[in-house]
Amino acid sequence: MLDPVVIVVAVLLAGYLAFSRRLSRSSSWNATVTPLASIMGSGFLVCAPLLSSAVGYYAIFSMAGLLALSFAVGGAIRFNIRYFEPIENSGNGPAQKIAFLSRIVLAGAYFISVTYYLQLLAAFLANIIGISNEVVVRLVTTILLVIIGGFGMWRGLGMLERLEKYAVALKLGMIGGLLLALLAHNTQIFIRGQWSLPNVSSEINFQDLRILLGLLIVVQGFETSRYLGEEHSAEERISTMRSAQLISAGIYLVFIALVTVLFEKDLGEDVTAIIEMTKPIAVVLPLLITIAAIGSQFSAAVADNAGAGGLIEEITHHRLPMRYAYLLILMITVVLTWETNVNGIIAYASRAFALFYTLQCAVAFVVAWQLRELPRRSMRLVSFAMLSITCLLVFTLGMPAE
């Protein structure tokens, strides 16, 4: 009985998000959905099984910690939008030099995230056809990288980027259907008196903490607001980034709270385990999740490929043509594909973005230090310094769930 309801909710929500004229014309919505879709992207697919394996039924508290850290880092980036952007190109001081280094780090992080998204896509594709072979996953990932890179070198990625709107709508529609199904399942077993915490290991040691730090990538994506300056004002980007982080935090916490009852001992570190977890709830969910995963991860890979290409062009002061930038991205991502696996690339991506966040918090610290009349200056200096150190610890200690 739940299957048709899930389908209807997912289709209606996806259709509204994809084809609503009111939303498409709303500057505020467009500025919100970009970071929101990025935050909710791959993390929603992998967080439950990986948190189950690492921290058991403390998953919701661990996710809350990751979300709190990401919101605090988002505050530093929002500070940079307001106070650093106006002076970014007007000098060559410490803040500008750190910011330039952070762009180089972000380009490298995009290389890793492109590989991560497509490895995850390949893993879900292999799962749905019943193949669990890392060589096959890497081969599929390589083929997809060649397709995207070849398209970029041939005609640019503009045409593929236009698919993002529909991939985002599909993903958010799936999330709506999944949350409804999980709510119905929890309500049903609670009424029957069968609701209980899962019998899984929930002891947290130092290695589990390191694995948790390696999952920062699941709440990454809010920084995209920093680079939407051509389409949206600074104030709009600040408010919509905050909104995107709060909305995604609410969705993540509700999801983890509802899915915890499905945690099992033998989930291991399988990033596609969300499919097996949801099978008992509604037969249609595994198919919906797989379709949404394939569409959203391909779209995210295209977006980050384009982002990396743009950063390379900017870093080289337009001396390197875009087609060669895409060729460089292709070569590096293919090497990463064959030197890592999905769990490993998650940790590497988390550490790369943690280093970027470290540098962004350092920029915020330097700018706050220079602004003598800044409101709450001392508090901001302390918070930016602590955030920079924390992100550096994530970069140093984060490890894969293997």
Side-chain angles (χ1 to χ4, degrees):
M1 289 295 294
L2 194 55
D3 285 337
V5 176
V6 171
I7 293 173
V8 168
V9 169
V11 170
L12 288 179
L13 181 56
Y16 176 71
L17 294 174
F19 301 108
S20 169
R21 291 185 178 181
R22 187 173 69 86
L23 289 182
S24 63
R25 292 171 181 169
S26 169
S27 177
S28 177
W29 168 250
N30 289 326
T32 301
V33 77
T34 298
L36 177 63
S38 189
I39 297 169
M40 301 302 303
S42 56
F44 201 84
L45 299 169
V46 303
C47 64
L50 294 182
L51 286 172
S52 169
S53 173
V55 297
Y57 49 72
Y58 292 119
I60 190 167
F61 304 106
S62 301
M63 177 57 75
L66 287 173
L67 289 165
L69 174 59
S70 71
F71 190 79
V73 174
I77 294 179
R78 288 189 287 273
F79 177 89
N80 288 341
I81 291 175
R82 174 170 286 139
Y83 292 104
F84 176 62
E85 275 191 5
I87 62 171
E88 185 170 9
N89 299 314
S90 61
N92 192 31
Q96 284 82 1
K97 290 177 180 177
I98 298 172
F100 180 76
L101 179 59
S102 76
R103 286 197 291 274
I104 297 175
V105 171
L106 182 59
Y110 278 152
F111 291 166
I112 300 172
S113 64
V114 167
T115 311
Y116 160 51
Y117 291 139
L118 293 182
Q119 282 197 9
L120 189 60
L121 185 161
F124 273 89
L125 187 60
N127 180 282
I128 203 68
I129 60 178
I131 298 175
S132 57
N133 186 305
E134 281 195 7
V135 174
V136 173
V137 170
R138 288 168 175 159
L139 185 60
V140 172
T141 303
T142 302
I143 292 171
L144 292 171
L145 286 169
V146 170
I147 291 172
I148 294 173
F151 212 97
M153 287 183 282
W154 176 44
R155 301 192 63 177
L157 293 176
M159 186 180 297
L160 294 180
E161 284 184 291
R162 285 194 285 273
L163 298 174
E164 182 179 16
K165 171 184 175 181
Y166 303 103
V168 168
L170 181 64
K171 179 63 181 290
L172 295 178
M174 180 277 294
I175 289 173
L178 176 58
L179 291 178
L180 176 65
L182 287 171
L183 178 61
H185 177 73
N186 276 264
T187 302
Q188 187 178 50
I189 61 175
F190 180 79
I191 292 173
R192 293 176 180 173
Q194 298 172 341
W195 197 99
S196 64
L197 287 172
N199 183 25
V200 294
S201 174
S202 299
E203 295 181 5
I204 303 176
N205 55 35
F206 184 62
Q207 179 173 329
D208 294 327
L209 181 60
R210 292 185 65 190
I211 291 172
L212 185 62
L213 293 177
L215 294 179
L216 181 63
I217 187 70
V218 305
V219 292
Q220 167 273 331
F222 52 89
E223 73 285 342
T224 54
S225 295
R226 171 77 170 79
Y227 301 99
L228 297 176
E230 292 185 3
E231 295 90 11
H232 305 280
S233 68
E235 289 304 318
E236 186 172 53
R237 284 180 289 138
I238 289 169
S239 64
T240 53
M241 186 213 286
R242 185 184 293 111
S243 297
Q245 286 196 280
L246 291 174
I247 292 169
S248 62
I251 293 173
Y252 266 124
L253 292 176
V254 170
F255 170 63
I256 294 298
L258 293 175
V259 82
T260 298
V261 73
L262 299 176
F263 287 177
E264 298 176 6
K265 289 182 179 180
D266 58 351
L267 285 179
E269 290 80 33
D270 180 10
V271 293
T272 67
I274 187 67
I275 292 177
E276 292 299 320
M277 291 171 68
T278 56
K279 272 184 180 178
I281 302 176
V283 177
V284 74
L285 276 177
L287 180 60
L288 281 179
I289 291 171
T290 301
I291 293 172
I294 291 172
S296 63
Q297 300 316 291
F298 184 81
S299 173
V302 170
D304 279 9
N305 209 302
L311 281 169
I312 292 172
E313 191 177 38
E314 180 183 338
I315 291 166
T316 60
H317 303 289
H318 301 276
R319 286 194 290 267
L320 185 68
M322 189 64 82
R323 64 167 58 91
Y324 294 117
Y326 286 135
L327 178 60
L328 176 63
I329 295 167
L330 175 60
M331 291 190 295
I332 293 175
T333 52
V334 167
V335 171
L336 285 172
T337 296
W338 289 92
E339 291 296 323
T340 62
N341 56 29
V342 181
N343 288 311
I345 205 71
I346 288 174
Y348 295 140
S350 293
R351 294 173 68 184
F353 278 101
L355 183 57
F356 169 72
Y357 295 150
T358 299
L359 296 171
Q360 283 291 303
C361 291
V363 169
F365 178 87
V366 172
V367 172
W369 180 269
Q370 294 172 341
L371 297 175
R372 300 296 179 181
E373 303 300 322
L374 180 71
R376 306 190 307 277
R377 179 171 177 266
S378 296
M379 184 184 72
R380 282 171 161 163
L381 285 171
V382 172
S383 64
F384 294 152
M386 293 300 295
L387 280 172
S388 191
I389 293 170
T390 302
C391 290
L392 187 60
L393 286 174
V394 175
F395 170 71
T396 306
L397 298 176
M399 66 177 290
E402 297 182 297

